[in-house]
Amino acid sequence: MTLKPSLDYDDVADRLGAAECHGFLAGLVCASGIADQKVWIREIFEAYDPKDALQSAALAALQDLYAEVQTDLNSPDLDFHLLLPEDPASLRERTEALGFWCQGYLVGLGIGGLPPSQKMSAEVRELLEDFSRIANVDFELDESEEEQVAFEEVAEYLRVAVLVLYESLQPVGEPAPGIQ
């Protein structure tokens, strides 16, 4: 799995929990269409201080991440990708990041205002259950080629699932506006 060159896992991970933050922002956007910056700053930073250089750098990375999520989810080319570590990261590290991504995504959906389950289609409910299962799985890995392929297939399944959920929760219309 290759990430788009504009988003690099290590650059974001230096300032944030990259996978979890990316999942969180994707969940917010899927649930609400647009995410109020005040909401996600409050969720990610316990106490944001604009005078703190590290927090300011992290916020700048988050703003870039949010803008990319917004753009990718609205792309007619289905450009959205999960922000996960690539090789040479171990399969264990990549799999743990995938679990954190799913956890962040589910939290983002909840905070973004996911509708009650009885108002969701059976397909949407099933996809959300899959995210929950993957977020909570403790993987036993042996770094085999078969395990690598299985990881790639799960990551691709989740990527497509996010696009399906976004389309289901944010019906086609005008693209969502940029950062607020």
Side-chain angles (χ1 to χ4, degrees):
M1 170 188 299
T2 57
L3 295 174
K4 295 171 57 177
S6 58
L7 263 184
D8 180 71
Y9 180 86
D10 292 327
D11 289 343
V12 178
D14 287 343
R15 296 184 182 96
L16 308 162
E20 192 168 6
C21 283
H22 187 257
F24 174 75
L25 292 172
L28 275 173
V29 171
C30 283
S32 64
I34 55 172
D36 184 346
Q37 181 172 320
K38 293 174 194 161
V39 170
W40 49 265
I41 288 175
R42 192 172 46 245
E43 288 300 320
I44 293 174
F45 297 102
E46 286 185 25
Y48 179 70
D49 178 4
K51 295 176 186 171
D52 183 313
L54 289 175
Q55 287 187 357
S56 292
L59 177 60
L62 273 173
Q63 289 169 325
D64 290 344
L65 199 57
Y66 175 79
E68 186 128 347
V69 165
Q70 219 24 86
T71 300
D72 290 351
L73 285 173
N74 286 293
S75 169
D77 299 325
L78 308 175
D79 288 335
F80 182 79
H81 293 280
L82 308 182
L83 183 61
L84 300 171
E86 295 185 52
D87 286 335
S90 71
L91 183 58
R92 173 165 283 299
E93 180 183 350
R94 293 167 49 214
T95 303
E96 287 174 357
L98 185 67
F100 288 131
W101 196 98
C102 289
Q103 289 173 13
Y105 184 74
L106 292 170
V107 169
L109 284 172
I111 291 171
L114 192 63
S117 64
Q118 62 269 29
K119 292 188 177 184
M120 291 183 229
S121 70
E123 178 186 31
V124 167
R125 287 192 307 271
E126 184 177 326
L127 290 172
L128 294 175
E129 288 171 11
D130 290 345
F131 275 95
S132 182
R133 277 195 233 46
I134 293 168
N136 293 308
V137 168
D138 183 22
F139 298 94
E140 295 295 324
L141 304 168
D142 63 12
E143 301 280 333
S144 69
E145 182 68 30
E146 187 176 284
E147 298 271 351
Q148 296 277 351
V149 170
F151 170 83
E152 296 293 333
E153 288 173 355
V154 170
E156 179 63 12
Y157 169 79
L158 292 173
R159 182 188 82 80
V160 172
V162 168
L163 294 169
V164 168
L165 287 167
Y166 183 65
E167 186 177 302
S168 296
L169 298 170
Q170 301 301 317
V172 178
E174 291 296 311
I179 297 174
Q180 289 190 5

